[in-house]
């Protein structure tokens, strides 16, 4: 879990994914044939084979904020990067890339129940005026939410498990793959949180036969939550649908058979909101056979995202086993 901790605690809001590239490269360089970084900021690793061309994608970016105005009293106004829930963000700490820490606050004259919006929130960086604040933060600077990594017996809690957990799963799977016949591409993709952008361009360039996204998904096992047949601790979720994609049935069935053959407990995901890189990969050029493996995570897009360790291990094993097989899609 030390690598997962390192990945989650790095700062990489959308557009600043290169902040974790050194961590990824150090881990995978001995196990892949080449590593490239494209113009969109995707890190792409390849294990060369003479079989089908298979792409796995896990996005590296996380939600955050961008400073866009500093007022005369030194308070920082901001724009969200990705799906920032203001209720979850309120009175949370954010950390800018230069180390400056601020707190997301709400204008006291307003009614939080009626008036909570970006225009009524600001970041307090402890400055007394604009001049002091500008020594710490400038418009265009990005920050991510602070959320320490800690382990319980069965679970891990941290900011940015969406989707550093997916990055971790691909890294650990890469280490397990020996003598592959498939031509394997592992895309650590950029700018997923603001529109699935990196996966789209990488898939266009690679032209895979099959593409599989590895990301997180919500759960339906907490009090009062939206009904959903995914639970923490029940294994990887094989995605059927979300707002961005309906996955290929033959590929879903193949992944399910692979899990069953290797005694990996799985569940099925039907998400009525949100999207993943699979949505972009499926529609590139003339289309691509696309699927997705999802890690169940509670409290997504908060500083206390929560995942089960056995689910993480199940995802690693499943990706590794998929990479050993020829794809037979019925």
């Amino acid at each position: 879990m030390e690598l997962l901790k390192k990945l989650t605690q790095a700062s990489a809001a959308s557009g600043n994914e290169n902040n974790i590239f050194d961590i990824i490269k150090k881990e995978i360089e001995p196990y892949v044939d080449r590593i490239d970084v494209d113009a969109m900021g995707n890190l792409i690793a390849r294990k060369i084979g003479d079989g089908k061309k298979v792409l796995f994608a896990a996005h590296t970016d996380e939600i955050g904020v961008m400073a866009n105005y500093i007022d005369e009293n030194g308070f920082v106004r901001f724009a969200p990067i990705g799906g920032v829930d203001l209720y979850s963000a309120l009175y949370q700490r954010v950390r800018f890339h230069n180390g400056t820490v601020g707190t997301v606050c709400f204008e006291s004259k307003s009614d939080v129940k009626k008036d909570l919006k970006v225009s009524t929130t600001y970041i307090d960086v402890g400055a007394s005026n604009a001049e002091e604040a500008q020594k710490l933060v400038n418009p265009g600077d990005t920050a991510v939410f602070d959320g320490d990594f800690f382990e319980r017996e069965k679970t891990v809690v941290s900011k940015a498990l969406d989707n550093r957990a997916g990055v971790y799963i691909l890294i650990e799977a890469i280490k397990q793959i020996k003598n592959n016949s498939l031509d394997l591409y592992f895309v650590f993709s950029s700018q997923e949180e603001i529109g699935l952008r990196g996966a789209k361009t990488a898939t266009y360039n690679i032209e895979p036969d099959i593409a599989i996204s590895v990301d997180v998904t919500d759960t339906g096992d907490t009090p009062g939550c939206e009904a959903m047949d995914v639970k923490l601790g029940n294994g990887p979720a094989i995605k059927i649908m979300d707002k961005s994609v309906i996955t290929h049935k033959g590929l879903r069935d193949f992944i399910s058979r692979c899990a069953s053959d290797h005694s990996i407990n799985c569940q099925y995901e039907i998400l009525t909101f949100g999207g993943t890189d699979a949505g972009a990969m499926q529609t590139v050029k003339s289309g691509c056979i696309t699927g997705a493996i999802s890690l169940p995570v509670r409290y997504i897009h908060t500083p206390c995202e929560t995942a089960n360790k056995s689910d993480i291990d199940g995802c690693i094993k499943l990706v590794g086993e998929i990479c050993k097989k020829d794809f037979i899609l019925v």
Side-chain angles (χ1 to χ4, degrees):
M1 291 288 112
E2 192 59 34
L3 173 58
L4 181 57
K5 178 180 179 179
K6 190 182 296 185
L7 288 165
T8 60
Q9 295 306 293
S11 172
S14 302
N16 292 274
E17 294 85 359
N18 62 314
N19 291 340
I20 66 166
F21 283 0
D22 286 346
I23 301 172
I24 298 171
K25 285 179 181 178
K26 181 179 178 182
E27 294 293 326
I28 66 173
E29 272 179 334
Y31 304 95
V32 298
D33 297 305
R34 62 178 297 168
I35 297 173
D36 298 291
V37 177
D38 68 14
M40 272 296 296
N42 299 301
L43 188 152
I44 302 171
R46 185 180 180 189
K47 288 179 71 70
I48 297 171
D50 56 11
K52 287 186 176 71
K53 192 183 292 188
V54 181
L55 184 160
F56 290 87
H59 73 87
T60 57
D61 59 319
E62 62 189 293
I63 63 167
V65 296
M66 180 181 291
N68 64 4
Y69 173 71
I70 299 171
D71 70 21
E72 62 183 7
N73 296 313
F75 296 112
V76 180
R77 301 291 178 162
F78 65 89
I81 301 173
V84 175
D85 182 333
L86 288 178
Y87 282 99
S88 298
L90 199 56
Y91 303 113
Q92 298 286 350
R93 288 175 297 170
V94 295
R95 186 178 301 272
F96 287 87
H97 185 54
N98 65 4
T100 297
V101 175
T103 306
V104 178
C105 302
F106 178 68
E107 292 179 354
S108 56
K109 68 180 181 182
S110 302
D111 182 343
V112 70
K113 294 180 181 179
K114 297 188 300 183
D115 301 324
L116 183 61
K117 46 186 180 277
V118 172
S119 62
T120 57
T121 53
Y122 58 91
I123 298 170
D124 187 342
V125 294
S128 300
N129 53 53
E131 185 179 3
E132 285 185 14
Q134 287 163 1
K135 294 176 181 177
L136 302 170
V137 177
N138 284 285
D141 290 348
T142 61
V144 298
F145 291 90
D146 255 359
D148 294 342
F149 181 97
F150 68 93
E151 290 185 58
R152 302 185 180 110
E153 180 183 355
K154 296 181 179 180
T155 59
V156 292
V157 180
S158 179
K159 66 97 170 169
L161 285 175
D162 177 15
N163 184 39
R164 304 296 158 65
V167 172
Y168 175 77
I169 288 162
L170 287 192
I171 289 172
E172 293 302 312
I174 287 169
K175 294 175 182 178
Q176 295 180 9
I177 299 164
K178 312 291 183 185
N179 303 317
N180 55 292
S181 60
L182 296 169
D183 195 11
L184 297 171
Y185 289 79
F186 298 91
V187 177
F188 298 92
S189 63
S190 66
Q191 299 189 35
E192 189 267 358
E193 296 289 0
I194 58 171
L196 320 180
R197 297 177 182 179
K200 181 177 182 179
T201 58
T203 307
Y204 188 96
N205 185 48
I206 295 167
E207 296 186 274
D209 298 302
I210 292 164
I212 299 173
S213 168
V214 179
D215 205 337
V216 303
T217 188
D218 211 347
T219 67
D221 60 355
T222 57
C225 69
E226 186 172 334
M228 184 180 177
D229 195 27
V230 173
K231 296 179 174 61
L232 223 62
N234 277 15
I238 300 170
K239 186 186 291 290
I240 297 175
M241 182 184 81
D242 62 30
K243 287 275 283 190
S244 72
V245 68
I246 296 176
T247 57
H248 187 280
K249 185 180 185 304
L251 182 53
R252 292 199 307 264
D253 291 346
F254 169 81
I255 294 171
S256 182
R257 289 196 304 273
C258 185
S260 178
D261 289 346
H262 296 280
S263 301
I264 303 169
N265 190 55
C266 282
Q267 48 195 327
Y268 292 92
E269 173 202 357
I270 300 169
L271 193 65
T272 58
F273 54 91
T276 66
D277 281 340
M281 297 190 298
Q282 186 183 53
T283 57
V284 166
K285 291 191 175 179
S286 59
C288 178
I289 293 173
T290 302
I293 297 168
S294 300
L295 174 70
V297 169
R298 292 174 181 164
Y299 322 123
I300 290 174
H301 286 192
T302 75
C304 52
E305 295 174 340
T306 302
N308 184 283
K309 295 180 191 177
S310 67
D311 293 342
I312 296 171
D313 291 340
C315 288
I316 294 168
K317 184 176 180 182
L318 182 56
V319 172
E321 294 298 340
I322 289 170
C323 291
K324 297 176 185 177
K325 296 182 179 295
D326 190 18
F327 280 73
I328 300 173
L329 308 181
V330 179

